Amino acid sequence: MRTQVAIVGGGPAGLLLSHLLHRQGVASVVLESRDRAYVERRQRAGMLEQGTTDVLRESGAGERLDREGLVHHGIELRFGGEGHRIPITDLTGRTVTVYAQTEIVKDLAALRLADGGDVRYEAEVLAVDPSTGTVTFRQDGAAHELTADYIAGCDGFHGVSRRAVPDVRTFARDYPFAWLGVLADVAPSTDELIYAHHERGFALHSLRSPSVSRLYLQVAPDEDLAAWSDARIWDELAVRFGTPDGWELTPGPITDRSVTPMRSFVAEPMRHDRLFLAGDSAHIVPPTGAKGLNLAVSDVTILARALTERYASGSEALLDAYSATCLSRVWRAEHFSYWMTTLLHADPESDAFARRLQRAHLEYVAGSAPAMASLAENYAGLPLK
């Protein structure tokens, strides 16, 4: 089998890349190891930068996003029992939108199949060869080979693509805490996201829809999920979000819960020969800055543009610049995510001096117009160059 671009991974990055290429007349085959139902129900964050929503709309994948997405113009930092609003739109002219990653995957999968796209589920990729453009995969109990001009590795942190890059350099940091995330069938108690710093640990109140809430608690990396009953979760959230002005958190039935470790990771370079890494296969960010999905979208947008130029004019200049172009944006997002994480979490390894410094920094961010503007600019997302 042959195609122009072989895409390893059928999550949002792989599907969006295939969709963007299709719109420019470039053929692709998407290979996804899981079945479609599994991919479409994987729970992931869904805070979209302005640039991400622009890409989805311009590609024709924004109809349901515009109808169901929750547009936000600010966020709240809460500490010391007080809330401090960061007016993102006033400071940047941009917005952020809450729209679940599961819904993005559903939208893109439906578009690809409606367009006759070749998306192969339950196709386990065994190996990729960057020098020949060959992808070996197993489907229906048989081994197959797909040969392409180029390969896009969109198969996540544990996929095979990154392992095919020789002499890859990796940079990583593990954090001494994790997130206990819950999905609850209850209307959100807030109109905008609340990022709460508390001596007992960080908490985040997010929204999934007008009737579904997404909430997070800082816990230990080895936390026993079974030790957290619904009542304990709601009680702890109420403590960490607590204010003396009468604000109340409304509890409801919890339908999903999980513990997510916190890690920063970057692999360099993001290209070797015919293979290009994109999304989680090349970088991981702690979720505090809401950058993971947005970085994946920027990666494949840059890659689609480079591949389109290659097939339109024969020029490989944008392909040659791909890794450097992406990494510049990746490292900026890594720093912002690290900064937000260390600003808001209670570090069990910190001493009293470090905790006082952290509080002083929070007060500075909440009280300084330039500091708020910097947070807002990075949170809403830097323009895609």
Side-chain angles (χ1 to χ4, degrees):
M1 292 179 286
R2 279 201 59 88
T3 190
Q4 289 176 299
V5 182
I7 300 174
V8 183
L15 290 173
L16 178 58
L17 176 59
S18 180
H19 179 58
L20 293 174
L21 292 175
H22 168 74
R23 289 173 62 86
Q24 298 300 324
V26 179
S28 67
V29 175
V30 179
L31 302 174
E32 167 56 47
S33 63
R34 304 283 192 165
D35 62 42
R36 182 179 176 184
Y38 178 91
V39 175
E40 292 185 356
R41 66 172 178 262
R42 280 188 294 209
Q43 295 293 335
R44 295 290 189 274
M47 177 59 72
L48 309 184
E49 297 175 355
Q50 177 84 58
T52 297
T53 57
D54 289 346
V55 167
L56 292 171
R57 290 188 185 105
E58 290 165 6
S59 74
E63 179 182 352
R64 203 156 65 94
L65 164 66
D66 286 334
R67 187 172 66 249
E68 300 178 13
L70 305 177
V71 178
H72 288 208
H73 300 280
I75 61 171
E76 179 184 323
L77 299 184
R78 186 175 291 188
F79 59 92
E82 295 184 10
H84 307 268
R85 186 172 184 267
I86 309 297
I88 290 174
T89 303
D90 291 346
L91 292 167
T92 67
R94 300 196 296 277
T95 63
V96 292
T97 302
V98 175
Y99 187 63
Q101 180 172 313
T102 51
E103 305 312 305
I104 295 174
V105 171
K106 291 175 186 176
D107 294 344
L108 290 170
L111 280 172
R112 292 306 299 124
L113 294 177
D115 290 336
D118 194 342
V119 181
R120 305 187 181 203
Y121 292 99
E122 298 182 84
E124 179 189 6
V125 173
L126 306 174
V128 298
D129 187 337
S131 62
T132 64
T134 302
V135 180
T136 305
F137 66 99
R138 181 187 295 116
Q139 188 175 37
D140 297 327
H144 306 273
E145 282 191 352
L146 171 66
T147 302
D149 299 332
Y150 300 100
I151 303 170
C154 306
D155 49 344
F157 182 78
H158 298 289
V160 302
S161 295
R162 187 176 65 252
R163 298 198 295 270
V165 179
D167 301 321
V168 65
R169 293 166 293 166
T170 60
F171 307 84
R173 169 162 296 186
D174 293 312
Y175 297 86
F177 37 75
W179 276 12
L180 168 57
V182 301
L183 201 62
D185 282 341
V186 61
S189 303
T190 178
D191 295 325
E192 296 180 334
L193 273 71
I194 302 173
Y195 288 78
H197 168 78
H198 192 277
E199 61 183 9
R200 294 168 67 107
F202 168 80
L204 170 62
H205 192 331
S206 183
L207 307 83
R208 180 55 57 84
S209 75
S211 60
V212 178
S213 299
R214 185 73 165 158
L215 304 107
Y216 300 90
L217 284 168
Q218 176 187 339
V219 295
D222 59 352
E223 195 71 35
D224 180 8
L225 196 58
W228 287 85
S229 65
D230 287 17
R232 183 186 177 193
I233 290 172
W234 288 113
D235 287 347
E236 188 64 25
L237 285 166
V239 169
R240 298 190 194 183
F241 286 123
T243 61
D245 62 2
W247 184 91
E248 293 185 359
L249 176 68
T250 303
I254 293 176
T255 59
D256 182 80
R257 70 190 74 203
S258 61
V259 173
T260 303
M262 305 285 280
R263 193 181 198 207
S264 298
F265 175 88
V266 180
E268 296 184 359
M270 289 175 59
R271 177 194 182 178
H272 176 68
D273 209 337
R274 300 170 185 263
L275 172 63
F276 297 81
L277 303 180
D280 288 357
S281 66
H283 41 74
I284 298 287
V285 290
T288 325
K291 294 300 168 202
L293 174 60
N294 294 293
L295 278 180
V297 169
S298 66
D299 286 349
V300 298
T301 302
I302 292 166
L303 183 54
R305 183 188 302 159
L307 289 166
T308 298
E309 177 64 22
R310 161 65 180 82
Y311 286 111
S313 71
S315 172
E316 296 191 3
L318 294 181
L319 287 175
D320 291 340
Y322 171 77
S323 183
T325 302
C326 290
L327 285 170
S328 175
R329 189 178 186 87
V330 165
W331 278 112
R332 174 83 292 276
E334 288 282 353
H335 179 264
F336 177 68
S337 299
Y338 162 83
W339 179 78
M340 284 282 284
T341 300
T342 54
L343 177 70
L344 291 165
H345 287 73
D347 188 343
E349 300 173 358
S350 67
D351 57 18
F353 182 79
R355 291 192 291 273
R356 292 300 293 269
L357 289 178
Q358 183 183 35
R359 179 59 180 266
H361 197 172
L362 279 164
E363 292 172 352
Y364 169 69
V365 171
S368 164
M372 283 193 287
S374 177
L375 190 161
E377 179 184 44
N378 283 275
Y379 194 88
L382 300 176
L384 186 63
K385 296 179 180 179

